[in-house]
Amino acid sequence: SMIFNPQIIDLRHAGAAYVGIQMENDFIVKRRKYAIMMRAMYLFLNIYCPFANNGFNLSTFGIIMLMGVAESLTLSVLFSLSHNFENSDRNPTEAFLNTGEPVCWFKSQVETSSTYGGAIAGYLTGGLNFQVEHHLFPRMSSAWYPYIAPTVREVCKKHGVKYAYYPWIWQNLFSTVSYMHKAGTGANWELNPLSGRA
């Protein structure tokens, strides 16, 4: 869990540092105390309080672990829906690798993620269903995503960018399962490496 990740102490993400993103800026420095406070509150409410109210026993520990499993499964399904679907761009850098043509960051963000549902799904998932908008505007409050999504779709259409939108979550789920089945069986490969032929 990110709650126990030592990177939360100073808010320096190792992945960001690896690619050269400077995390030592005024915005990050001013928010360190809030990040630490939020994680301490999480530990207090979700670990300390159950033991304090129910005693230190195996059933309380089991309930805490069950909550963690439920949270993890929910997030993994939501992330799978948003990034694994039919016709998603699995390699946004392909044009650069083949021709040297620069990669459009905005286009790559849109074509590697999807949006499903509307405002209600956004309220239930904390805005995770608006993954395209989240990738384009990561610091924007997710409360605004339902309002900007139609404009983002129009701009993508105008510029020929494939925007994946599923009005209902079950449509996105069907597309995700279909994509994963094809990926698992090799049905979407250009070559059949298991045939023994090149």
Side-chain angles (χ1 to χ4, degrees):
S1 174
M2 278 300 290
I3 200 72
F4 297 114
N5 189 329
Q7 295 176 34
I8 64 118
I9 303 301
D10 58 7
L11 293 181
R12 289 188 183 106
H13 194 279
Y18 179 76
V19 295
I21 298 174
Q22 177 57 259
M23 297 300 286
E24 193 67 30
N25 58 52
D26 291 340
F27 180 84
I28 297 292
V29 171
K30 289 178 183 174
R31 280 147 183 87
R32 283 190 180 134
K33 60 185 169 203
Y34 300 113
I36 293 168
M37 183 178 65
M38 285 173 54
R39 284 158 175 85
M41 187 167 43
Y42 178 91
L43 290 171
F44 175 77
L45 293 173
N46 294 302
I47 307 291
Y48 173 77
C49 286
F51 283 126
N53 291 327
N54 302 317
F56 193 81
N57 56 53
L58 199 55
S59 67
T60 303
F61 178 75
I63 290 169
I64 292 169
M65 295 308 293
L66 180 64
M67 180 186 67
V69 167
E71 290 171 348
S72 297
L73 286 175
T74 300
L75 282 174
S76 66
V77 168
L78 292 175
F79 290 143
S80 293
L81 290 174
S82 299
H83 299 287
N84 298 289
F85 53 93
E86 293 180 301
N87 302 317
S88 61
D89 186 359
R90 302 315 304 166
N91 186 7
T93 62
E94 185 175 12
F96 175 74
L97 297 172
N98 293 336
T99 65
E101 179 184 338
V103 176
C104 176
W105 182 85
F106 297 101
K107 183 177 187 285
S108 68
Q109 296 305 306
V110 173
E111 293 185 351
T112 58
S113 50
S114 70
T115 291
Y116 63 87
I120 294 173
Y123 302 141
L124 294 174
T125 64
L128 290 177
N129 63 315
F130 290 98
Q131 201 64 206
V132 171
E133 289 72 20
H134 166 69
H135 280 235
L136 293 175
F137 309 103
R139 288 194 177 177
M140 179 183 284
S141 167
S142 62
W144 289 105
Y145 294 161
Y147 301 104
I148 69 166
T151 304
V152 171
R153 284 194 288 271
E154 287 176 23
V155 170
C156 288
K157 185 177 179 180
K158 176 182 174 185
H159 294 282
V161 176
K162 292 182 279 185
Y163 182 104
Y165 172 66
Y166 300 92
W168 301 97
I169 190 171
W170 63 268
Q171 294 167 317
N172 196 181
L173 181 61
F174 181 77
S175 178
T176 297
V177 170
S178 177
Y179 168 78
M180 289 185 168
H181 175 73
K182 289 175 185 172
T185 61
N188 57 352
W189 295 353
E190 290 180 20
L191 301 173
N192 186 357
L194 303 179
S195 70
R197 289 176 266 137

